[in-house]
Amino acid sequence: MPADAATALKEKFPQATARPSVDHPAFNVPIADVPAVLAFLRDELAFELLMDVTAIDNGEHSSPRFTVVYHVLSVTHPGAYLRIAADCANDAEPTAPSVVALWAGANWHEREVYDMFGIKFTGHPDLRRILMWDGYPYHPLRKEFPLAGIETDLPVEDIAEETGTKVIAAPMQGGPFVASPGEINLTEAEPRAKDETWSDRRAKPGHSELRQVKE
Amino acid sequence: MSTGFAYPDHEARAAEAAEAARARAAGETPEFETEKMSLNMGPSHPSTHGVFRLQMELDGETLTKADPVIGYLHRGDEKIAENMTYNQFVPYTDRLDYLAPLANNMAYAIAVEKLAGLTVPPRCQAIRVITAELARISSHLMGLGAFGLDVGAWTVLVWCLNEREKLYRLFEELTGARFTTSYTRIGGVTRDVPPDWLGHVNTFCDEFLPMLEETLAMLTRNKIFMDRTVDVGVISKADALAYGLTGPNLRGSGVALDLRKDKPYSGYENYEFDVPVGSKGDCYDRYLVRGEEMRQSARIIKQAVAKFPGGAWFAEDAKKIFNPPKDKVLTSMEELIQHFMLVTEGPQMPAGEVYFEAENPKGILGFYIVSKGGGVPYRLKIRSPSFCNLSIIPKVSVGCLISDVVAILGSFDFVMGECDR
């Protein structure tokens, strides 16, 4: 049955194209068809469990920039997985159709993707941030967001006013060493912190900038 | 798994609640006006097992709305993973479900091994199975003890912690650390099992089983415990599937999904064990499932120790991933270069996408890795069981009393370190 699942899906949705994958059968589908494809998988091919909804940021200047990825697992045919991926059409303001109507559990997964990538799910009943606080201005898993973080105001206004502090970027000098993927220049090859705040080449900011205690 | 009899007071309470719900729906005026009250449970509360906040709306003592707030322990593990080599991420997996670090290590290692196309020898698989099952016992003991404490059984917690102490001694003997073990490596384990360790594991299993029976006997037919858990927080099969529950919570609702049986990894197909399944899906079922799982884990461990294979404890082609031995690094050029490349660029992986899920104590832990080649994952998504298990809380807890919410949270046995990642 799982072996036929791929062919059945191809028959029903000829627009689905195979996606390269190391382990499970995977398909790229147009983003508008995602709810129909997943409903077909759940009702006709017995993939009852939506395991995971996530997204990939393909890089700041690439197009399509965001890919939404779904993993489904079958309980009837144990151990059969399927991966469905769909590219978001709009790079600046990505949207995707919500599948909460099919699986109530998609609610939190989609909230997390919205929180981390800024992909808005149309038809989601309650699209709020889930891991970061409400009103956080960035989407942390986008590739342009630095590892150290960006300085922002505290979430609670009166505490911010009272203390005069901010959420500051993590000082990464001496922190976890960050590897450079792929081709490296040997002068850069020493393990070093990929530093957004200070390093041996950029001066350490003064103490006053880090801790702005109101006099 | 039913208890064989039902308490009349439960039926009466259910009838009362149904009547009240009917009256509310029909718009009848109640005898006296009540006012809605909102109450925060958490983020730091003894029965939320971590920094978890439940914003509740109460009508008297009954919940009318529950909104879980998570993210207090969000450390950005996925972002960190995108900026470090595959090897460096192993210690970070300890901090996900920090009650069963060895199981997390194994799940991550197998995911990356799938990507790299490595196969580990049987001895390494057996070591991983033993450690993962010990971790399962350890995690379930903590879950059970905390659950007992939530509904008022202090002795259970103390006895469970006592057993866990013995487990920690075993972990320390094997890995050098009690808590954050980082023992499993990509393509193998850190070091071979020490001599005598398997004997100690066997001794532990023999002593643990009677102790477990005694601990469970304190709860299983306990009037107070049953009053607090039977028919409380019932999750139907359809709901459990819709919300993506996994692990003991899903099996408590009657779905026999256990990846160790259904999609065996690491040689689980060589061991005999049963998968306990609940019938009703209430807190009591989830408790019974966990208790039985501990017995089965001990059974698996004893089998694994009995047929513990010889041979190497790391994959033959893991040399591209493992750091070479230190004395070689200091004396020979070849190893020095390899060490340098491993430290600076990380182990070179082929491009591709991999999704691997392991049956962890809390549920199914999945790692989705997108690689574009090189030593750093392009994207690493952690599918955490606690996250999915908690998403059903708003549905389950509405209509319950506050004291039932405590029992429900205890029966879910979630860990915030894994939920928030």
Side-chain angles (χ1 to χ4, degrees):
Chain A
M1 176 69 194
D4 321 333
T7 36
L9 184 72
K10 289 286 282 187
E11 266 172 36
K12 173 94 178 164
F13 297 95
Q15 63 270 42
T17 53
R19 179 181 173 88
S21 143
V22 178
D23 45 2
H24 309 302
F27 291 96
N28 280 319
V29 298
I31 190 121
D33 296 338
V34 163
V37 168
L38 289 178
F40 174 74
L41 287 176
R42 187 190 69 173
D43 302 330
E44 308 294 322
L45 303 180
F47 285 93
E48 295 98 336
L49 269 170
L50 177 71
M51 273 306 185
D52 194 28
V53 181
T54 184
I56 304 169
D57 180 357
N58 296 314
E60 212 175 333
H61 304 296
S62 60
S63 184
R65 179 166 176 183
F66 293 102
T67 309
V68 190
V69 183
Y70 302 82
H71 284 99
V72 286
L73 167 68
S74 174
V75 179
T76 319
H77 313 281
Y81 283 95
L82 210 66
R83 177 180 309 136
I84 300 292
D87 294 334
C88 297
N90 190 334
D91 292 346
E93 302 240 325
T95 56
S98 170
V99 293
V100 175
L102 295 171
W103 282 284
N107 187 325
W108 276 29
H109 286 301
E110 288 175 359
R111 275 175 68 185
E112 190 194 332
V113 174
Y114 163 70
D115 189 357
M116 293 288 142
F117 292 92
I119 298 171
K120 288 201 165 66
F121 286 87
T122 47
H124 190 287
D126 180 26
L127 199 62
R128 287 175 295 144
R129 286 179 172 272
I130 186 163
L131 291 174
M132 309 305 284
W133 57 89
D134 285 342
Y136 185 75
Y138 304 107
H139 297 294
L141 277 182
R142 288 189 172 193
K143 287 289 178 187
E144 76 264 19
F145 187 86
L147 176 63
I150 300 176
E151 187 171 297
T152 49
D153 290 329
L154 286 185
V156 186
E157 271 173 41
D158 50 359
I159 294 180
E161 218 164 287
E162 187 67 32
T163 57
T165 50
K166 290 192 160 193
V167 178
I168 55 162
M172 301 202 54
Q173 192 71 336
F177 284 140
V178 178
S180 51
E183 294 296 309
I184 52 165
N185 164 2
L186 279 185
T187 53
E188 299 274 314
E190 282 300 310
R192 66 173 76 245
K194 189 188 282 177
D195 205 356
E196 323 292 349
T197 48
W198 76 79
S199 68
D200 41 14
R201 277 172 283 179
R202 190 184 308 169
K204 181 173 172 177
H207 214 62
S208 55
E209 290 170 54
L210 285 179
R211 222 176 275 153
Q212 309 157 319
V213 182
K214 218 162 65 173
E215 294 303 324
Chain B
M1 278 235 182
S2 81
T3 53
F5 58 91
Y7 287 102
D9 49 351
H10 276 298
E11 286 169 11
R13 194 202 283 177
E16 246 173 60
E19 172 60 26
R22 192 200 56 75
R24 260 200 305 275
E28 293 170 18
T29 354
E31 277 176 58
F32 53 90
E33 285 295 321
T34 57
E35 209 177 299
K36 293 267 173 68
M37 177 175 92
S38 70
L39 183 72
N40 269 311
M41 186 177 181
S44 183
H45 184 280
S47 73
T48 54
H49 303 285
V51 276
F52 168 69
R53 174 164 148 225
L54 198 59
Q55 291 179 304
M56 301 186 285
E57 196 181 67
L58 298 168
D59 181 358
E61 221 184 329
T62 315
L63 261 76
T64 52
K65 209 169 93 188
D67 185 20
V69 181
I70 64 170
Y72 292 97
L73 204 54
H74 178 57
R75 295 144 300 176
D77 273 347
E78 292 171 18
K79 187 78 183 177
I80 290 171
E82 287 173 16
N83 288 285
M84 56 169 45
T85 66
Y86 289 95
N87 282 334
Q88 287 171 319
F89 192 66
V90 172
Y92 282 84
T93 58
D94 294 339
R95 277 88 178 161
L96 294 172
D97 176 359
Y98 41 71
L99 299 174
L102 285 158
N104 305 332
N105 294 164
M106 169 167 140
Y108 174 70
I110 295 179
V112 184
E113 281 158 17
K114 278 194 150 188
L115 180 66
L118 290 175
T119 47
V120 295
R123 186 182 179 91
C124 170
Q125 288 187 341
I127 295 174
R128 286 179 181 182
V129 165
I130 293 173
T131 51
E133 294 305 318
L134 285 174
R136 188 181 313 276
I137 291 178
S138 152
S139 166
H140 280 352
L141 277 173
M142 190 68 230
L144 183 77
F147 186 24
L149 186 66
D150 285 344
V151 296
W154 176 250
T155 313
V156 175
L157 176 78
V158 177
W159 284 10
C160 286
L161 291 182
N162 203 6
E163 289 302 306
R164 289 188 84 220
E165 188 53 42
K166 296 176 191 168
L167 277 168
Y168 279 143
R169 264 179 230 146
L170 289 177
F171 292 159
E172 193 174 12
E173 201 179 339
L174 176 70
T175 67
R178 287 156 53 88
F179 226 74
T180 45
T181 52
S182 313
Y183 177 65
T184 313
R185 291 281 184 275
I186 298 157
V189 289
T190 322
R191 60 185 76 81
D192 199 3
V193 289
D196 306 340
W197 188 74
L198 292 174
H200 296 173
V201 170
N202 236 342
T203 316
F204 167 79
C205 286
D206 292 334
E207 290 171 0
F208 167 71
L209 283 169
M211 189 69 202
L212 175 68
E213 297 308 327
E214 211 168 327
T215 311
L216 294 179
M218 275 203 292
L219 294 178
T220 306
R221 309 299 285 172
N222 183 319
K223 177 86 168 71
I224 300 171
F225 184 74
M226 289 180 76
D227 276 359
R228 289 292 302 271
T229 55
V230 175
D231 289 333
V232 170
V234 179
I235 300 173
S236 70
K237 214 175 198 175
D239 274 347
L241 289 172
Y243 278 87
L245 297 196
T246 44
N249 301 327
L250 177 68
R251 291 192 283 275
S253 294
V255 183
L257 177 79
D258 188 328
L259 289 183
R260 294 174 298 165
K261 269 262 190 277
D262 296 336
K263 197 175 173 55
Y265 54 92
S266 191
Y268 268 111
E269 63 273 23
N270 306 325
Y271 307 107
E272 276 182 23
F273 62 98
D274 300 322
V275 177
V277 174
S279 53
K280 247 189 304 191
D282 56 0
C283 295
Y284 189 67
D285 273 353
R286 292 193 277 277
Y287 149 78
L288 288 177
V289 166
R290 284 201 179 84
E292 184 56 37
E293 270 188 22
M294 280 193 261
R295 293 190 195 108
Q296 298 299 333
S297 286
R299 196 173 145 196
I300 296 176
I301 293 167
K302 283 189 83 75
Q303 288 175 56
V305 170
K307 33 181 185 179
F308 196 71
W313 39 271
F314 55 88
E316 195 42 52
D317 35 8
K319 291 191 173 64
K320 289 267 179 283
I321 296 175
F322 275 32
N323 272 341
K326 192 71 190 177
D327 55 342
K328 287 260 175 59
V329 174
L330 296 175
T331 51
S332 103
M333 196 65 207
E334 191 72 29
E335 271 80 5
L336 177 67
I337 292 170
Q338 193 201 333
H339 183 270
F340 180 80
M341 294 315 276
L342 268 179
V343 170
T344 50
E345 287 196 28
Q348 298 303 302
M349 295 284 167
E353 292 182 4
V354 142
Y355 186 60
F356 173 75
E357 290 189 330
E359 188 71 39
N360 257 31
K362 303 275 182 285
I364 290 179
L365 175 74
F367 283 96
Y368 173 52
I369 302 175
V370 179
S371 160
K372 301 211 167 179
V376 179
Y378 184 77
R379 168 99 176 90
L380 188 144
K381 167 75 167 70
I382 303 161
R383 187 257 181 217
S384 98
S386 301
F387 183 84
C388 306
N389 289 346
L390 277 178
S391 64
I392 200 173
I393 293 277
K395 183 169 173 62
V396 175
S397 52
V398 165
C400 292
L401 305 178
I402 292 190
S403 56
D404 289 345
V405 172
V406 171
I408 290 170
L409 290 180
S411 77
F412 269 104
D413 186 23
F414 54 87
V415 164
M416 289 321 283
E418 181 182 65
C419 177
D420 294 348
R421 301 185 300 288

